[in-house]
Amino acid sequence: MVSRIIGFLGKEWQNLNEAALLLSVCALLSQVLAVVRDRLFAHFFGAGTTLDIYYTAFRIPDFLYVSIASFVSVTVLIPILLEKMGNSKEVNDESKKFINDAFTVFFVVIILASIILFFLIPFIVPFIAPGFNEDSIDKLINLSRILLLSPILIGISNLIGSVTQTFRKFFVYALSPVLYNLGIIFGILFFYPLYGVSGLAYGVILGAVFHLAIQIPVLLSHNFFPSFSKNINFETIKRIVFISLPRTLTISLNQFSLIVIVAIASLLEEGSISVFNFSYNLQSVPIVIIGISYSVAAFPGLVRFFSAGDKISFAKEIENASRVIIFWSLPITFLFIVLRAQIVRVLLGSGQFSWADTRLTAAMLAIFSISLLAQNLLPLLIRGYYAAGDTKRPLYVNLFSYFFIIVSAFGLIALLRNSPEIKYFLESILRVGDVPGTEVLALPLAYSLGSIINLILLFRIFEKDFARGLWNSLSKTFFQSFSASFIMGFTTYQFLGVFDKIFNINTFFGIFAQGLFSGVLGILVGIVMLK
């Protein structure tokens, strides 16, 4: 039995669709656990000060992670690692030396950066949470310091993940986030009763340890476990930095925009940070399952096609993955918009999570859902550029897009405050007119608009650079899926009114049944339309 399990963990997945399916299944399991995690948070804490502090505490460690760990990400290391391995695609001294050098430099740099940040955090947190009181600031400092261990562990895990993905051992890579969420859940259930709010951070660290540990057996089986190098080849390190810098800046821009959004939310109604993160996490479920899974599965093949000069197969791989992403993203978008209240109430509506929290989170989920297709396609296009060795184009586009998000976040907040008629219009559409704190709706709206602009710009540039006529190839899939999804959403909405009279929607079972049966009937109509 043990040997079978090890054999399955070490299995190579060569087919794109099989690999994407595996990644999607594991991503689904991870997201199910993420929903369980968020439900526990909602149940025990509600959208209030404790969760505002917890979510804000991730901002500094996450920024540290993307600023340093992204230099040794799989998208950067895999092309160089394949080059070092040569045609044999097997472990050799040159490839081992490369991984050891990257590991050594990364470990030293991130440890030093973490130590420096440990002492600087008290001076930084007032800027990322200007609306917090003194007691909340003290708790935020403590949690942020504990969470500094997370980017170290996750960074090492992702570095060695470049090896597991190179050998197409996608299962262990896909299982890592599952174990990460299990660690967080363990922290909520067991560490929090023992250590208070700090126990939540300890759960995150436990999850990071699990994230790393699952990949170790595969590395040992290939005799490829990284170790410290005494004589580092700094020419290779310079090459990694040169390639990674634009990508690191690109990801850092996203984190910086989230820091700004959290800072704005801290000045709004108590719990604004929590409802933003709840809705952001829910809309991330299809992104991880669809967009990330297909982009990760496609990346090694994209690298090989481009390295071999096979531009036709490179473009075809992008087209195939894009078509599947479009096909699944649009129905989910419409279902999320129509069933937003049912989704949030069923998944999060428990304990301290009030009906007002539900409605506000649902409204934000609907706004986020507008950009689901954009957020699903962007990882694929960005990885396409990385496979081609071009990390600058995505940087330029993201620089503009995230600048737009930050500026529009401030602008939309001011607009809602100074234009009651616009605020009333938005509240009426989303049915939150009597819910306090609706100014926070400006934040997901700014993020969605920025994401859509990002996709439009990057898609046009990518089409010009690598795949002329790509939109013409995808347009039929887009319009068919959009039409069927629109009718599916309309049908689902109509049946909500029907089942509202049948079930008692003031109970968990009632609102679950209303959403389930309405959604199923809508999906059936969508399938007929597609047929």
Side-chain angles (χ1 to χ4, degrees):
M1 177 62 72
V2 175
S3 61
R4 288 182 179 179
I5 294 174
I6 295 175
F8 188 74
L9 288 174
K11 180 181 177 180
E12 293 188 28
W13 301 79
Q14 297 292 340
N15 181 273
L16 170 63
N17 288 318
E18 288 182 355
L21 178 61
L22 171 72
L23 290 166
S24 297
V25 170
C26 289
L28 176 60
L29 177 58
S30 174
Q31 292 306 302
V32 168
L33 291 175
V35 170
V36 172
R37 173 202 68 198
D38 283 355
R39 183 174 178 84
L40 291 173
F41 279 137
H43 177 82
F44 288 117
F45 308 107
T49 302
T50 299
L51 278 189
D52 283 355
I53 296 170
Y54 172 79
Y55 285 125
T56 307
F58 279 91
R59 299 281 59 88
I60 295 175
D62 282 356
F63 192 79
L64 172 66
Y65 172 77
V66 301
S67 300
I68 297 178
S70 57
F71 278 100
V72 289
S73 70
V74 294
T75 54
V76 175
L77 294 187
I78 285 179
I80 301 177
L81 185 57
L82 287 171
E83 176 188 311
K84 299 292 183 183
M85 292 168 65
N87 296 328
S88 65
K89 303 296 185 296
E90 295 293 338
V91 176
N92 55 30
D93 292 337
E94 190 175 1
S95 58
K96 291 182 68 175
K97 170 67 174 170
F98 167 68
I99 290 296
N100 290 341
D101 288 352
F103 170 75
T104 302
V105 174
F106 164 75
F107 187 83
V108 172
V109 171
I110 199 165
I111 289 294
L112 290 175
S114 298
I115 292 173
I116 294 171
L117 274 177
F118 183 88
F119 294 103
L120 290 180
I121 279 177
F123 304 99
I124 298 174
V125 292
F127 294 98
I128 65 174
F132 282 9
N133 59 34
E134 186 175 344
D135 181 61
S136 296
I137 288 289
D138 289 339
K139 292 178 180 178
L140 177 58
I141 292 171
N142 181 51
L143 288 186
S144 298
R145 282 175 163 172
I146 296 171
L147 290 174
L148 286 175
L149 287 171
S150 178
I152 299 173
L153 296 168
I154 299 293
I156 295 173
S157 179
N158 284 338
L159 186 150
I160 63 179
S162 63
V163 178
T164 58
Q165 284 196 64
T166 298
F167 291 113
R168 305 188 73 84
K169 306 298 177 65
F170 289 116
F171 185 65
V172 292
Y173 175 82
L175 202 57
S176 296
V178 175
L179 297 178
Y180 177 72
N181 280 316
L182 280 176
I184 297 176
I185 291 172
F186 189 91
I188 299 171
L189 295 176
F190 299 102
F191 290 160
Y192 176 72
L194 294 175
Y195 306 107
V197 178
S198 297
L200 300 178
Y202 296 148
V204 175
I205 303 306
L206 178 63
V209 171
F210 290 161
H211 193 287
L212 170 62
I214 188 62
Q215 303 196 68
I216 293 177
V218 174
L219 293 181
L220 294 176
S221 68
H222 285 276
N223 192 27
F224 216 146
F225 195 81
S227 60
F228 290 103
S229 291
K230 294 181 179 179
N231 300 312
I232 298 172
N233 183 353
F234 282 101
E235 289 300 319
T236 302
I237 300 301
K238 288 179 183 178
R239 181 183 174 191
I240 294 174
V241 172
F242 179 78
I243 296 173
S244 299
L245 185 59
R247 178 185 181 276
T248 299
L249 292 174
T250 299
I251 304 175
S252 298
L253 287 171
N254 181 45
Q255 284 300 320
F256 182 74
S257 68
L258 289 176
I259 289 174
V260 174
I261 286 175
V262 167
I264 295 173
S266 73
L267 297 168
L268 302 177
E269 192 86 12
E270 179 184 315
S272 293
I273 297 174
S274 300
V275 294
F276 176 85
N277 278 275
F278 279 132
S279 58
Y280 183 84
N281 291 343
L282 286 175
Q283 67 99 34
S284 297
V285 172
I287 296 171
V288 173
I289 295 172
I290 301 170
I292 301 299
S293 294
Y294 264 89
S295 62
V296 168
F299 185 68
L302 292 172
V303 173
R304 288 191 173 94
F305 289 138
F306 197 88
S307 299
D310 190 353
K311 303 294 180 63
I312 296 177
S313 296
F314 176 87
K316 194 66 178 177
E317 190 89 339
I318 290 288
E319 179 186 334
N320 290 337
S322 298
R323 183 172 284 111
V324 177
I325 290 172
I326 291 170
F327 180 81
W328 289 111
S329 296
L330 292 174
I332 293 173
T333 295
F334 281 90
L335 285 176
F336 267 34
I337 292 173
V338 174
L339 298 176
R340 59 188 184 275
Q342 288 74 20
I343 291 171
V344 174
R345 196 60 185 166
V346 168
L347 297 181
L348 302 177
S350 173
Q352 299 298 314
F353 200 73
S354 67
W355 177 237
D357 295 336
T358 297
R359 293 173 63 192
L360 194 55
T361 304
M364 298 177 75
L365 175 61
I367 296 173
F368 271 125
S369 299
I370 297 170
S371 63
L372 271 181
L373 177 59
Q375 294 187 69
N376 273 328
L377 281 174
L378 281 170
L380 177 68
L381 297 179
I382 291 172
R383 276 180 166 81
Y385 270 109
Y386 293 160
D390 184 353
T391 55
K392 293 182 180 179
R393 292 292 181 92
L395 170 62
Y396 299 148
V397 175
N398 278 274
L399 182 62
F400 174 81
S401 302
Y402 288 120
F403 177 77
F404 177 87
I405 289 174
I406 292 171
V407 172
S408 61
F410 283 104
L412 289 170
I413 288 285
L415 184 66
L416 293 182
R417 285 177 174 173
N418 299 320
S419 302
E421 63 280 2
I422 295 178
K423 183 179 179 182
Y424 174 77
F425 175 74
L426 185 62
E427 290 174 342
S428 298
I429 291 177
L430 298 170
R431 299 182 178 181
V432 289
D434 57 339
V435 177
T438 54
E439 290 175 353
V440 74
L441 297 175
L443 303 182
L445 183 57
Y447 194 89
S448 286
L449 291 175
S451 299
I452 293 170
I453 290 173
N454 197 341
L455 175 66
I456 292 172
L457 294 176
L458 192 63
F459 187 91
R460 288 303 182 188
I461 296 172
F462 187 92
E463 189 177 34
K464 180 180 177 181
D465 289 341
F466 302 113
R468 292 186 180 276
L470 179 60
W471 170 246
N472 291 333
S473 300
L474 297 174
S475 58
K476 183 178 180 180
T477 299
F478 176 84
F479 287 114
Q480 287 181 344
S481 183
F482 182 88
S483 301
S485 300
F486 178 82
I487 295 173
M488 178 183 67
F490 178 78
T491 303
T492 301
Y493 180 77
Q494 295 301 314
F495 275 107
L496 283 176
V498 174
F499 289 116
D500 183 27
K501 301 174 183 177
I502 298 175
F503 299 108
N504 180 8
I505 61 172
N506 294 316
T507 65
F508 173 85
F509 174 78
I511 199 165
F512 172 76
Q514 182 199 32
L516 175 65
F517 291 121
S518 299
V520 168
L521 290 171
I523 290 171
L524 289 175
V525 171
I527 291 173
V528 172
M529 288 299 301
L530 287 171
K531 183 65 176 178

